[in-house]
Amino acid sequence: MIRVGLVDFDTSHVVAFTQRWNHVDCAEEHWIEGVKVVAGCPGVSYLSPERVPGFTDTLRGYGVEIVARPEDLIDKIDAVCIESVDGSVHLERARPFLEAGVPMFVDKPFTCSLAHAKEIASLAEKHSVPLFSSSSLRFGREIIALHADTEANGAVIGADAYAPASLHPRNPGLFHYGVHGVETLFALMGQGCVAVSSATTGDVDVVTGYWDGGRVGTVRGIRSGAAGYGFTAFCEKKVVQSTIDAGYIYSGLLGAITTMFETGEPPIDIRETLEITAFIEGALESVARDGAKVEITV
């Protein structure tokens, strides 16, 4: 059994993940075997501090040991999940665990800057630490089914993804909730985005990504009217349109995290995560430059 620690309790993910890994307060069909959350550090939240006490009480009720400092977890765990909603603190939170060689999952957003993202990736490489970050939307059954049926669909040559995109200054632009839509787009298109341009109003962000080879994908971040999660994939043989059922995405994500903790092999190349960070950072620069096309590199 792999012992996992959780860092920062300002997201409902700490409860949802513990329920599925520890087999408590959730349906058996969502249980994930092989991991147990044994300890956690509630931390200090600059984004949603009001959520921390309640989630701390819930995890304590599940039998999770509560410690005062993230570093206090290191001798108690085999792997760690950095769960801060605030992506700007992820480098600080991750550093002691990476230096100690602890396998790591970093919840979305990976960071709020490409510079921080590269430093986390560099530390993981230096200390040979398995590292993975993702939105749970990547593991929607509809996306997995699309890629599984390549014979019928052919390769994805373009895609439009959409998701809610509420804003917060500590996670600027799509780094906050809109990262779900960006992750969906990259789950469909893969690596290779070389430039972005962004059109933004108070109600919506529409970001266009330009991939090498001439492929184009867009993200629509919704802040007004009806919203949900979904995509249109333009494939070689057909056009596939689908909403994403969020009911099973946590189980899919946790299954992937568990496999990495067991095997040491991340399910996503960290270079794709860096590219996602560069995409969002480039979109912010495009907005500042009145929608200009911005080249991105990692």
Side-chain angles (χ1 to χ4, degrees), residues 5-25:
L6 304 179
V7 176
D8 288 339
F9 289 5
D10 60 354
T11 170
S12 60
H13 288 188
V14 297
V15 173
F17 289 8
T18 302
Q19 289 172 336
R20 286 158 176 76
W21 269 330
N22 292 22
H23 304 173
V24 57
D25 281 354

Side-chain angles (χ1 to χ4, degrees), residues 219-260:
V219 175
R220 185 178 185 89
I222 303 166
R223 290 188 288 277
S224 179
Y229 305 100
F231 62 87
T232 300
F234 302 96
C235 306
E236 289 177 319
K237 299 180 180 180
K238 64 193 301 187
V239 176
V240 179
Q241 294 176 292
S242 183
T243 56
I244 297 175
D245 181 356
Y248 294 91
I249 54 178
Y250 285 164
S251 297
L253 173 61
L254 292 177
I257 298 171
T258 298
T259 297
M260 183 189 73

